[in-house]
Amino acid sequence: AEVYGMRGATVAVLDKADLESTDARGITHYKCDVSDRAQIASVAAEIERDLGTPTILVNNAAVVTGKKLLDMDMAEVERSLSTNLLSHFYTIKQFLPGMLRKDTGGTIVTVSSVLGQLGAAQLSDYAAAKAGVTALHKSLAAELQEFPEIKTILVTPGQLSTPLFAGVRSPSSFIAPVVEPVDVAKEIISAIDLGLSDHIAMPLYARWIDWYNVLPVGLQKIARGISGIDKGMQTFTGRNGKASSEKKPSLI
């Protein structure tokens, strides 16, 4: 958002919380819970009036509950799936038609996660949603083949150094180093600038994660044990310093 703002683009950020930084130019904050399709429809009308038709949609919203499945109540599960998965349907349905009407085309960026492939203890809701997000993106990309002016970019990072996963121990700093958000942002912006439909996976192991699923079950268990992936959430605190959920903004 800051990079595009500095370039002179107009950026709308949808978040039900206030922005941490309000200094960046070119960025307009719209108070919106992206798990509520009525709010998205209302804000979309404001964006169209204030800024024009969006040509880049970055679906980046997420919450993390951080509990074992039996410790979650269904309200938490539904909130997680609404924010982490259904919000993608809501924003795409709202903004894709405008991109198709424009001669310049557009780009849809889907921020998923390697956890959509791997799963992890205390992340059943999050991993299930990210698996759905990845499948949604691939299906949408197939449907948009007849519209080459619309580009699609899937992003499947490993652990990011954001407050969303505060307190989480990296399973292996060598095999799975923590990824800096700015590095992911650079790759996304580069793909958009080049006019590519792309799949961005960071760090290195994320590019080969599909091969994990073809391993025999016994080897998968060994790999999980060595990596420590199912123990990382035991130290999860969240942004507020305790096991909680936190929302990241969806950028348009």
Side-chain angles (χ1 to χ4, degrees), residues 12-50:
V13 177
L14 275 59
D15 197 344
K16 70 177 187 178
D18 293 332
L19 298 185
E20 294 179 359
S21 173
T22 58
D23 297 332
R25 68 178 184 180
I27 298 176
T28 305
H29 171 237
Y30 291 87
K31 196 173 186 65
C32 178
D33 183 345
V34 295
S35 67
D36 185 331
R37 65 173 180 262
Q39 288 191 37
I40 290 177
S42 176
V43 166
E46 295 182 46
I47 293 172
E48 187 79 27
R49 181 194 65 216
D50 299 342

mmCIF file of all heavy atoms in Angstrom, residues 12-50:
data_model
loop_
_atom_site.group_PDB
_atom_site.id
_atom_site.type_symbol
_atom_site.label_atom_id
_atom_site.label_comp_id
_atom_site.label_asym_id
_atom_site.label_seq_id
_atom_site.Cartn_x
_atom_site.Cartn_y
_atom_site.Cartn_z
ATOM 1 N N ALA A 12 -7.132 1.982 -1.501
ATOM 2 C CA ALA A 12 -8.171 1.857 -0.477
ATOM 3 C C ALA A 12 -7.836 0.676 0.407
ATOM 4 O O ALA A 12 -7.568 -0.417 -0.077
ATOM 5 C CB ALA A 12 -9.540 1.660 -1.129
ATOM 6 N N VAL A 13 -7.826 0.888 1.720
ATOM 7 C CA VAL A 13 -7.579 -0.178 2.680
ATOM 8 C C VAL A 13 -8.854 -0.426 3.464
ATOM 9 O O VAL A 13 -9.401 0.495 4.083
ATOM 10 C CB VAL A 13 -6.427 0.193 3.644
ATOM 11 C CG1 VAL A 13 -6.235 -0.908 4.683
ATOM 12 C CG2 VAL A 13 -5.138 0.428 2.881
ATOM 13 N N LEU A 14 -9.329 -1.653 3.407
ATOM 14 C CA LEU A 14 -10.535 -2.031 4.142
ATOM 15 C C LEU A 14 -10.134 -2.747 5.418
ATOM 16 O O LEU A 14 -9.459 -3.770 5.379
ATOM 17 C CB LEU A 14 -11.414 -2.962 3.296
ATOM 18 C CG LEU A 14 -12.380 -2.313 2.306
ATOM 19 C CD1 LEU A 14 -11.636 -1.443 1.302
ATOM 20 C CD2 LEU A 14 -13.192 -3.381 1.584
ATOM 21 N N ASP A 15 -10.538 -2.201 6.548
ATOM 22 C CA ASP A 15 -10.225 -2.812 7.837
ATOM 23 C C ASP A 15 -11.201 -2.274 8.858
ATOM 24 O O ASP A 15 -11.560 -1.094 8.825
ATOM 25 C CB ASP A 15 -8.787 -2.471 8.253
ATOM 26 C CG ASP A 15 -8.259 -3.385 9.349
ATOM 27 O OD1 ASP A 15 -9.078 -4.069 9.997
ATOM 28 O OD2 ASP A 15 -7.042 -3.402 9.571
ATOM 29 N N LYS A 16 -11.650 -3.138 9.761
ATOM 30 C CA LYS A 16 -12.577 -2.653 10.784
ATOM 31 C C LYS A 16 -11.836 -1.917 11.900
ATOM 32 O O LYS A 16 -12.454 -1.228 12.700
ATOM 33 C CB LYS A 16 -13.391 -3.808 11.365
ATOM 34 C CG LYS A 16 -12.653 -4.793 12.223
ATOM 35 C CD LYS A 16 -13.638 -5.827 12.775
ATOM 36 C CE LYS A 16 -12.977 -6.747 13.783
ATOM 37 N NZ LYS A 16 -13.948 -7.712 14.342
ATOM 38 N N ALA A 17 -10.503 -2.049 11.932
ATOM 39 C CA ALA A 17 -9.681 -1.315 12.896
ATOM 40 C C ALA A 17 -9.013 -0.138 12.204
ATOM 41 O O ALA A 17 -8.890 -0.105 10.979
ATOM 42 C CB ALA A 17 -8.623 -2.231 13.502
ATOM 43 N N ASP A 18 -8.597 0.842 12.984
ATOM 44 C CA ASP A 18 -7.867 1.976 12.420
ATOM 45 C C ASP A 18 -6.493 1.520 11.949
ATOM 46 O O ASP A 18 -5.924 0.555 12.473
ATOM 47 C CB ASP A 18 -7.699 3.084 13.470
ATOM 48 C CG ASP A 18 -9.028 3.714 13.851
ATOM 49 O OD1 ASP A 18 -9.942 3.713 13.002
ATOM 50 O OD2 ASP A 18 -9.150 4.174 15.002
ATOM 51 N N LEU A 19 -5.928 2.225 10.971
ATOM 52 C CA LEU A 19 -4.599 1.896 10.472
ATOM 53 C C LEU A 19 -3.551 2.241 11.513
ATOM 54 O O LEU A 19 -3.675 3.225 12.251
ATOM 55 C CB LEU A 19 -4.311 2.657 9.184
ATOM 56 C CG LEU A 19 -5.213 2.368 7.981
ATOM 57 C CD1 LEU A 19 -4.698 3.113 6.763
ATOM 58 C CD2 LEU A 19 -5.289 0.880 7.703
ATOM 59 N N GLU A 20 -2.491 1.414 11.574
ATOM 60 C CA GLU A 20 -1.403 1.688 12.509
ATOM 61 C C GLU A 20 -0.652 2.948 12.116
ATOM 62 O O GLU A 20 -0.179 3.695 12.956
ATOM 63 C CB GLU A 20 -0.448 0.499 12.552
ATOM 64 C CG GLU A 20 -1.073 -0.763 13.137
ATOM 65 C CD GLU A 20 -0.098 -1.921 13.149
ATOM 66 O OE1 GLU A 20 1.043 -1.741 12.690
ATOM 67 O OE2 GLU A 20 -0.481 -3.004 13.606
ATOM 68 N N SER A 21 -0.514 3.173 10.812
ATOM 69 C CA SER A 21 0.184 4.357 10.323
ATOM 70 C C SER A 21 -0.732 5.102 9.359
ATOM 71 O O SER A 21 -1.327 4.502 8.468
ATOM 72 C CB SER A 21 1.477 3.970 9.611
ATOM 73 O OG SER A 21 2.061 5.116 9.008
ATOM 74 N N THR A 22 -0.842 6.385 9.557
ATOM 75 C CA THR A 22 -1.685 7.213 8.682
ATOM 76 C C THR A 22 -0.857 8.227 7.917
ATOM 77 O O THR A 22 -1.400 9.173 7.351
ATOM 78 C CB THR A 22 -2.752 7.955 9.521
ATOM 79 O OG1 THR A 22 -2.098 8.761 10.534
ATOM 80 C CG2 THR A 22 -3.685 6.966 10.199
ATOM 81 N N ASP A 23 0.464 8.034 7.905
ATOM 82 C CA ASP A 23 1.351 9.015 7.282
ATOM 83 C C ASP A 23 1.516 8.805 5.784
ATOM 84 O O ASP A 23 1.845 9.736 5.051
ATOM 85 C CB ASP A 23 2.740 8.980 7.940
ATOM 86 C CG ASP A 23 2.677 9.381 9.413
ATOM 87 O OD1 ASP A 23 1.762 10.148 9.756
ATOM 88 O OD2 ASP A 23 3.531 8.914 10.191
ATOM 89 N N ALA A 24 1.338 7.576 5.325
ATOM 90 C CA ALA A 24 1.577 7.278 3.909
ATOM 91 C C ALA A 24 0.567 8.009 3.038
ATOM 92 O O ALA A 24 -0.636 7.995 3.304
ATOM 93 C CB ALA A 24 1.498 5.772 3.673
ATOM 94 N N ARG A 25 1.056 8.603 1.975
ATOM 95 C CA ARG A 25 0.180 9.348 1.090
ATOM 96 C C ARG A 25 -0.527 8.398 0.127
ATOM 97 O O ARG A 25 -0.062 7.284 -0.138
ATOM 98 C CB ARG A 25 0.974 10.381 0.308
ATOM 99 C CG ARG A 25 1.935 9.791 -0.716
ATOM 100 C CD ARG A 25 2.646 10.884 -1.488
ATOM 101 N NE ARG A 25 3.489 10.311 -2.541
ATOM 102 C CZ ARG A 25 4.224 11.038 -3.366
ATOM 103 N NH1 ARG A 25 4.226 12.356 -3.259
ATOM 104 N NH2 ARG A 25 4.966 10.454 -4.293
ATOM 105 N N GLY A 26 -1.642 8.856 -0.391
ATOM 106 C CA GLY A 26 -2.352 8.087 -1.397
ATOM 107 C C GLY A 26 -3.192 6.956 -0.846
ATOM 108 O O GLY A 26 -3.800 6.203 -1.608
ATOM 109 N N ILE A 27 -3.249 6.796 0.486
ATOM 110 C CA ILE A 27 -3.974 5.683 1.098
ATOM 111 C C ILE A 27 -5.218 6.209 1.804
ATOM 112 O O ILE A 27 -5.148 7.136 2.617
ATOM 113 C CB ILE A 27 -3.087 4.923 2.095
ATOM 114 C CG1 ILE A 27 -1.889 4.307 1.369
ATOM 115 C CG2 ILE A 27 -3.883 3.838 2.816
ATOM 116 C CD1 ILE A 27 -0.895 3.623 2.289
ATOM 117 N N THR A 28 -6.349 5.622 1.476
ATOM 118 C CA THR A 28 -7.611 5.974 2.121
ATOM 119 C C THR A 28 -8.138 4.771 2.884
ATOM 120 O O THR A 28 -8.244 3.670 2.332
ATOM 121 C CB THR A 28 -8.664 6.415 1.084
ATOM 122 O OG1 THR A 28 -8.133 7.485 0.302
ATOM 123 C CG2 THR A 28 -9.937 6.875 1.777
ATOM 124 N N HIS A 29 -8.434 4.968 4.159
ATOM 125 C CA HIS A 29 -8.942 3.883 4.997
ATOM 126 C C HIS A 29 -10.467 3.904 4.991
ATOM 127 O O HIS A 29 -11.093 4.940 5.232
ATOM 128 C CB HIS A 29 -8.426 4.034 6.433
ATOM 129 C CG HIS A 29 -9.076 3.099 7.396
ATOM 130 N ND1 HIS A 29 -9.745 3.523 8.523
ATOM 131 C CD2 HIS A 29 -9.178 1.748 7.394
ATOM 132 C CE1 HIS A 29 -10.213 2.480 9.173
ATOM 133 N NE2 HIS A 29 -9.882 1.392 8.517
ATOM 134 N N TYR A 30 -11.055 2.734 4.712
ATOM 135 C CA TYR A 30 -12.506 2.573 4.786
ATOM 136 C C TYR A 30 -12.813 1.562 5.883
ATOM 137 O O TYR A 30 -12.353 0.422 5.823
ATOM 138 C CB TYR A 30 -13.070 2.077 3.450
ATOM 139 C CG TYR A 30 -12.984 3.101 2.347
ATOM 140 C CD1 TYR A 30 -11.837 3.212 1.568
ATOM 141 C CD2 TYR A 30 -14.047 3.969 2.086
ATOM 142 C CE1 TYR A 30 -11.748 4.158 0.554
ATOM 143 C CE2 TYR A 30 -13.969 4.917 1.072
ATOM 144 C CZ TYR A 30 -12.813 5.008 0.320
ATOM 145 O OH TYR A 30 -12.728 5.947 -0.688
ATOM 146 N N LYS A 31 -13.539 1.997 6.883
ATOM 147 C CA LYS A 31 -13.870 1.111 7.991
ATOM 148 C C LYS A 31 -14.845 0.053 7.497
ATOM 149 O O LYS A 31 -15.955 0.372 7.054
ATOM 150 C CB LYS A 31 -14.481 1.895 9.146
ATOM 151 C CG LYS A 31 -14.506 1.150 10.472
ATOM 152 C CD LYS A 31 -14.974 2.060 11.582
ATOM 153 C CE LYS A 31 -14.867 1.370 12.938
ATOM 154 N NZ LYS A 31 -13.486 1.069 13.310
ATOM 155 N N CYS A 32 -14.420 -1.208 7.536
ATOM 156 C CA CYS A 32 -15.221 -2.273 6.954
ATOM 157 C C CYS A 32 -14.788 -3.613 7.512
ATOM 158 O O CYS A 32 -13.602 -3.914 7.578
ATOM 159 C CB CYS A 32 -15.070 -2.267 5.425
ATOM 160 S SG CYS A 32 -15.965 -3.592 4.578
ATOM 161 N N ASP A 33 -15.752 -4.418 7.915
ATOM 162 C CA ASP A 33 -15.498 -5.801 8.289
ATOM 163 C C ASP A 33 -15.673 -6.640 7.037
ATOM 164 O O ASP A 33 -16.793 -6.804 6.542
ATOM 165 C CB ASP A 33 -16.484 -6.233 9.377
ATOM 166 C CG ASP A 33 -16.229 -7.651 9.873
ATOM 167 O OD1 ASP A 33 -15.490 -8.395 9.199
ATOM 168 O OD2 ASP A 33 -16.778 -8.024 10.931
ATOM 169 N N VAL A 34 -14.590 -7.181 6.503
ATOM 170 C CA VAL A 34 -14.655 -7.867 5.211
ATOM 171 C C VAL A 34 -15.355 -9.224 5.299
ATOM 172 O O VAL A 34 -15.579 -9.869 4.273
ATOM 173 C CB VAL A 34 -13.254 -8.052 4.592
ATOM 174 C CG1 VAL A 34 -12.645 -6.708 4.257
ATOM 175 C CG2 VAL A 34 -12.347 -8.869 5.504
ATOM 176 N N SER A 35 -15.704 -9.647 6.509
ATOM 177 C CA SER A 35 -16.496 -10.875 6.635
ATOM 178 C C SER A 35 -17.985 -10.599 6.473
ATOM 179 O O SER A 35 -18.799 -11.519 6.519
ATOM 180 C CB SER A 35 -16.234 -11.544 7.992
ATOM 181 O OG SER A 35 -16.737 -10.757 9.053
ATOM 182 N N ASP A 36 -18.334 -9.322 6.285
ATOM 183 C CA ASP A 36 -19.730 -8.903 6.134
ATOM 184 C C ASP A 36 -19.930 -8.405 4.701
ATOM 185 O O ASP A 36 -19.473 -7.334 4.332
ATOM 186 C CB ASP A 36 -20.041 -7.790 7.134
ATOM 187 C CG ASP A 36 -21.507 -7.376 7.146
ATOM 188 O OD1 ASP A 36 -22.168 -7.491 6.093
ATOM 189 O OD2 ASP A 36 -21.986 -6.927 8.199
ATOM 190 N N ARG A 37 -20.633 -9.193 3.877
ATOM 191 C CA ARG A 37 -20.754 -8.820 2.466
ATOM 192 C C ARG A 37 -21.566 -7.552 2.262
ATOM 193 O O ARG A 37 -21.356 -6.828 1.286
ATOM 194 C CB ARG A 37 -21.346 -9.981 1.657
ATOM 195 C CG ARG A 37 -22.761 -10.388 1.974
ATOM 196 C CD ARG A 37 -23.224 -11.435 0.967
ATOM 197 N NE ARG A 37 -24.583 -11.878 1.200
ATOM 198 C CZ ARG A 37 -24.911 -12.980 1.847
ATOM 199 N NH1 ARG A 37 -23.955 -13.746 2.347
ATOM 200 N NH2 ARG A 37 -26.166 -13.331 2.015
ATOM 201 N N ALA A 38 -22.482 -7.246 3.174
ATOM 202 C CA ALA A 38 -23.258 -6.005 3.054
ATOM 203 C C ALA A 38 -22.350 -4.796 3.248
ATOM 204 O O ALA A 38 -22.477 -3.789 2.534
ATOM 205 C CB ALA A 38 -24.397 -5.999 4.068
ATOM 206 N N GLN A 39 -21.420 -4.886 4.202
ATOM 207 C CA GLN A 39 -20.484 -3.783 4.417
ATOM 208 C C GLN A 39 -19.573 -3.606 3.207
ATOM 209 O O GLN A 39 -19.262 -2.477 2.808
ATOM 210 C CB GLN A 39 -19.642 -4.035 5.673
ATOM 211 C CG GLN A 39 -20.397 -3.884 6.977
ATOM 212 C CD GLN A 39 -19.473 -3.889 8.178
ATOM 213 O OE1 GLN A 39 -18.360 -3.351 8.130
ATOM 214 N NE2 GLN A 39 -19.916 -4.498 9.269
ATOM 215 N N ILE A 40 -19.130 -4.709 2.621
ATOM 216 C CA ILE A 40 -18.272 -4.621 1.441
ATOM 217 C C ILE A 40 -19.008 -3.947 0.289
ATOM 218 O O ILE A 40 -18.459 -3.086 -0.407
ATOM 219 C CB ILE A 40 -17.781 -6.018 1.020
ATOM 220 C CG1 ILE A 40 -16.774 -6.554 2.040
ATOM 221 C CG2 ILE A 40 -17.132 -5.980 -0.368
ATOM 222 C CD1 ILE A 40 -16.281 -7.944 1.752
ATOM 223 N N ALA A 41 -20.255 -4.309 0.077
ATOM 224 C CA ALA A 41 -21.044 -3.697 -0.995
ATOM 225 C C ALA A 41 -21.188 -2.196 -0.776
ATOM 226 O O ALA A 41 -21.077 -1.397 -1.717
ATOM 227 C CB ALA A 41 -22.410 -4.363 -1.081
ATOM 228 N N SER A 42 -21.425 -1.800 0.470
ATOM 229 C CA SER A 42 -21.588 -0.381 0.787
ATOM 230 C C SER A 42 -20.281 0.384 0.572
ATOM 231 O O SER A 42 -20.267 1.455 -0.049
ATOM 232 C CB SER A 42 -22.056 -0.226 2.241
ATOM 233 O OG SER A 42 -22.127 1.130 2.614
ATOM 234 N N VAL A 43 -19.168 -0.178 1.048
ATOM 235 C CA VAL A 43 -17.867 0.478 0.903
ATOM 236 C C VAL A 43 -17.440 0.509 -0.558
ATOM 237 O O VAL A 43 -16.821 1.478 -1.013
ATOM 238 C CB VAL A 43 -16.811 -0.230 1.777
ATOM 239 C CG1 VAL A 43 -15.404 0.212 1.388
ATOM 240 C CG2 VAL A 43 -17.063 0.052 3.239
ATOM 241 N N ALA A 44 -17.783 -0.537 -1.313
ATOM 242 C CA ALA A 44 -17.421 -0.564 -2.734
ATOM 243 C C ALA A 44 -18.024 0.621 -3.475
ATOM 244 O O ALA A 44 -17.383 1.216 -4.348
ATOM 245 C CB ALA A 44 -17.880 -1.874 -3.360
ATOM 246 N N ALA A 45 -19.253 0.967 -3.125
ATOM 247 C CA ALA A 45 -19.905 2.128 -3.750
ATOM 248 C C ALA A 45 -19.155 3.409 -3.398
ATOM 249 O O ALA A 45 -18.994 4.305 -4.246
ATOM 250 C CB ALA A 45 -21.354 2.212 -3.311
ATOM 251 N N GLU A 46 -18.693 3.512 -2.145
ATOM 252 C CA GLU A 46 -17.924 4.691 -1.731
ATOM 253 C C GLU A 46 -16.602 4.771 -2.486
ATOM 254 O O GLU A 46 -16.183 5.853 -2.922
ATOM 255 C CB GLU A 46 -17.656 4.641 -0.224
ATOM 256 C CG GLU A 46 -18.892 4.747 0.654
ATOM 257 C CD GLU A 46 -18.506 4.730 2.127
ATOM 258 O OE1 GLU A 46 -17.559 5.458 2.498
ATOM 259 O OE2 GLU A 46 -19.126 3.976 2.897
ATOM 260 N N ILE A 47 -15.923 3.630 -2.627
ATOM 261 C CA ILE A 47 -14.641 3.606 -3.333
ATOM 262 C C ILE A 47 -14.814 4.019 -4.784
ATOM 263 O O ILE A 47 -14.038 4.813 -5.329
ATOM 264 C CB ILE A 47 -14.015 2.198 -3.247
ATOM 265 C CG1 ILE A 47 -13.611 1.882 -1.807
ATOM 266 C CG2 ILE A 47 -12.797 2.087 -4.173
ATOM 267 C CD1 ILE A 47 -13.174 0.444 -1.598
ATOM 268 N N GLU A 48 -15.846 3.483 -5.423
ATOM 269 C CA GLU A 48 -16.128 3.839 -6.824
ATOM 270 C C GLU A 48 -16.358 5.339 -6.966
ATOM 271 O O GLU A 48 -15.877 5.980 -7.909
ATOM 272 C CB GLU A 48 -17.353 3.069 -7.304
ATOM 273 C CG GLU A 48 -17.654 3.213 -8.776
ATOM 274 C CD GLU A 48 -16.764 2.344 -9.651
ATOM 275 O OE1 GLU A 48 -16.289 1.300 -9.180
ATOM 276 O OE2 GLU A 48 -16.551 2.729 -10.812
ATOM 277 N N ARG A 49 -17.079 5.910 -6.015
ATOM 278 C CA ARG A 49 -17.372 7.349 -6.045
ATOM 279 C C ARG A 49 -16.137 8.185 -5.747
ATOM 280 O O ARG A 49 -15.881 9.210 -6.404
ATOM 281 C CB ARG A 49 -18.458 7.657 -5.013
ATOM 282 C CG ARG A 49 -18.885 9.131 -4.955
ATOM 283 C CD ARG A 49 -19.684 9.381 -3.698
ATOM 284 N NE ARG A 49 -18.859 9.203 -2.506
ATOM 285 C CZ ARG A 49 -19.292 8.694 -1.353
ATOM 286 N NH1 ARG A 49 -20.546 8.284 -1.238
ATOM 287 N NH2 ARG A 49 -18.482 8.588 -0.317
ATOM 288 N N ASP A 50 -15.338 7.747 -4.748
ATOM 289 C CA ASP A 50 -14.208 8.558 -4.293
ATOM 290 C C ASP A 50 -12.953 8.384 -5.147
ATOM 291 O O ASP A 50 -12.240 9.356 -5.425
ATOM 292 C CB ASP A 50 -13.844 8.199 -2.845
ATOM 293 C CG ASP A 50 -14.979 8.464 -1.871
ATOM 294 O OD1 ASP A 50 -15.898 9.217 -2.218
ATOM 295 O OD2 ASP A 50 -14.934 7.897 -0.759
#
